[in-house]
């Protein structure tokens, strides 16, 4: 006997499938971005560019807090970085008296193929281009 599905069930299933497809795309893009970051780190090491202690920038301020991370900044404003293991970090943190004294723990993010996507015009850039500009500076 054939089961008749409701419109609501069909929409729910379509939404589940769409979400799964988006997740697969994001995972694929993150894997490609990790490869770009690994090549970037290899080039820095070949050139003798030493990693440095990374600081997290307080959002909307010139202040920054210590982290336990060692790596390289990707942007001049020090808002993005990669550590020596190839992990990608967004280094914007809220202001905190405790963090000013004790430092802050920043968790890695999945690296995007386009940095700043969805930001104001002119603030998004392909990761490959950002890394190329960083190597040229």
């Amino acid at each position: 006997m054939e089961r008749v599905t409701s419109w609501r069930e069909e929409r729910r299933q379509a939404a589940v499938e769409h979400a799964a497809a988006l997740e697969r795309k994001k995972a694929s893009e993150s894997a490609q971005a990790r490869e770009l970051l690994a090549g970037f780190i290899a080039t820095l090491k070949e050139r003798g560019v030493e990693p440095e202690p990374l600081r997290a920038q307080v959002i909307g301020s010139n202040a920054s807090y210590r982290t336990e991370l060692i790596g390289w900044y990707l942007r001049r404003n020090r808002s993005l970085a990669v550590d020596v293991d190839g992990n990608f970090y967004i280094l914007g943190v809220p202001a905190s008296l405790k963090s000013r004294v004790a430092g802050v723990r920043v968790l890695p993010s999945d690296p995007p193929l386009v940095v700043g996507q969805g930001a104001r015009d002119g603030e998004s850039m392909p990761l490959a281009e950002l890394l190329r500009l960083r190597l040229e500076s």
Side-chain angles (χ1 to χ4, degrees):
M1 184 170 172
E2 188 175 314
R3 181 175 174 255
V4 178
T5 58
S6 70
W7 177 85
R8 182 175 285 153
E9 178 60 25
E10 289 175 7
R11 296 303 324 138
R12 189 194 67 74
Q13 185 59 35
V16 167
E17 290 171 9
H18 182 70
L22 284 176
E23 192 58 36
R24 285 190 303 274
K25 180 181 179 196
K26 182 180 176 192
S28 173
E29 289 180 357
S30 287
Q32 292 174 46
R34 287 183 201 290
E35 289 179 23
L36 291 172
L37 291 172
F40 173 75
I41 291 169
T43 301
L44 288 175
K45 288 180 178 179
E46 288 171 9
R47 294 181 180 181
V49 178
E50 294 294 322
E52 62 183 288
L54 300 174
R55 295 183 64 86
Q57 302 300 120
V58 176
I59 298 169
S61 167
N62 289 330
S64 63
Y65 301 145
R66 289 185 322 276
T67 71
E68 295 179 356
L69 304 172
I70 305 291
W72 300 271
Y73 294 104
L74 301 179
R75 285 204 160 158
R76 287 184 191 176
N77 67 3
R78 298 178 169 224
S79 62
L80 302 175
V82 61
D83 71 8
V84 294
D85 296 321
N87 295 308
F88 178 80
Y89 293 90
I90 300 169
L91 295 175
V93 296
S96 159
L97 182 58
K98 179 181 175 189
S99 295
R100 181 180 292 230
V101 174
V104 66
R105 182 168 182 240
V106 182
L107 299 176
S109 299
D110 287 331
L113 277 180
V114 178
V115 175
Q117 193 165 24
R120 295 184 301 218
D121 287 343
E123 291 189 7
S124 66
M125 175 182 295
L127 180 61
E129 177 72 7
L130 177 64
L131 299 178
R132 184 186 65 74
L133 290 173
R134 173 62 172 86
L135 289 171
E136 290 176 357
S137 65

